[in-house]
Amino acid sequence: FLSLVAEFCCGFFVILILGNFWFLAVLYLLWLYLDWETPCTGGRRSQWVRSWTVWKYFREYFPINLIKTSDLNPNHNYLLGFHPHGVLVAGAFGNFCTGPSFKNLFPGLTPYLHIMPIWFSCPFFREYVMSAGMVSASKESVSYVLNKEGGGHASVIVIGGAEESLNAHPGSLTLNILKRKGFIKMALKHGAHLVPVFSFGENELFKQVANPKGSWLRNVQEKLQKIMGFALPLFHARGIFQYSFGLIPYRQPIHTVVGSPIPVKRNLNPTTEEIEELHALYLQKLRKLFEEHKRNYGIPEHKSLIFE
């Protein structure tokens, strides 16, 4: 979805350059230069954009629901780890970038969804994603949010990243997390409480071409991901008037469950052992969150999370 919108925005920019409106393109490039750091300094959200009626229909299509399991004290800052990535990351976008659900359930908290920095180099598209409350996933950006005094701010990070989208098959419960410990270090350095978030149904929206690890397709996808910074899963779903083939996601309910916070004491120079200890605790709490709620959302009793 983001890719399609980005392509449209880039195409529009090219039209400006090639057409009689090249001066507008020059002005925008000047604006881009002056505004380059904004995605790393909290972005520029617009409540008007976040409240567009189209997002209401977007959430109701699946539908997308946000489930609260514990209060989050607005006097603290939080780092929410979102799992799994899926293909569309619909639960993260629908719950943290649109509508009133998060604000109603967690009053006093402002969510910031961190996405890959490359998206903010796309003309016009960057303005759109920032208006929805998205900011860069760079260290500087996460630090800016978590370092805000007085609390009330929540960084939402899709921990598995683009690599995890290659595992987004219906029924898949594999998370790329064992080697991902940067978010743990950030939480320690800023004293941000950690909150595991699991989005049930995220992997059910599309069917992806079989790409087991070691296959030629997976090898190509992983190489491209390392070069470009984002993955290229080959997927399909339904069409507009038929359910056999298309790129419109299936209508599968998404239940994004926000777990209980893990208190974190500020530590400017955490040791490797301290990072490992907190990472292990986070994995334990994430697994517990999944096990406690899987029965409610159609996950068989014998199924469990797989950490890679």
Side-chain angles (χ1 to χ4, degrees), residues 78-93:
Y78 297 88
L79 195 159
L80 277 62
F82 183 91
H83 312 270
H85 184 288
V87 172
L88 192 62
V89 205
F93 179 76

Side-chain angles (χ1 to χ4, degrees), residues 190-203:
H190 297 284
H193 296 328
L194 282 167
V195 182
V197 179
F198 195 87
S199 195
F200 292 89
E202 199 74 45
N203 284 338

Side-chain angles (χ1 to χ4, degrees), residues 5 37 61 149-150 197 226 285 301 304:
V5 179
E37 295 299 323
Y61 171 79
E149 295 184 2
V197 179
K226 291 179 180 179
K285 295 295 184 180
E301 185 65 31
S304 296

Side-chain angles (χ1 to χ4, degrees), residues 162-208:
E163 183 183 358
E164 193 173 85
S165 67
L166 300 178
N167 291 326
H169 296 272
S172 174
L173 295 172
T174 300
L175 304 180
N176 291 66
I177 191 172
L178 291 182
K179 296 181 180 179
R180 296 179 181 267
K181 300 171 185 176
F183 73 104
I184 298 292
K185 187 174 182 179
M186 294 297 290
L188 283 166
K189 290 183 67 174
H190 297 284
H193 296 328
L194 282 167
V195 182
V197 179
F198 195 87
S199 195
F200 292 89
E202 199 74 45
N203 284 338
E204 317 305 316
L205 306 185
F206 297 93
K207 291 180 180 178
Q208 189 172 169

Side-chain angles (χ1 to χ4, degrees), residues 233-268:
L234 299 179
F235 59 88
H236 68 89
R238 54 163 292 186
I240 298 177
F241 301 111
Q242 45 78 28
Y243 290 82
S244 301
F245 188 83
L247 294 179
I248 298 176
Y250 293 115
R251 296 192 71 177
Q252 296 289 340
I254 298 172
H255 300 279
T256 303
V257 184
V258 181
S260 301
I262 303 171
V264 177
K265 186 177 180 180
R266 189 173 188 180
N267 184 348
L268 294 177

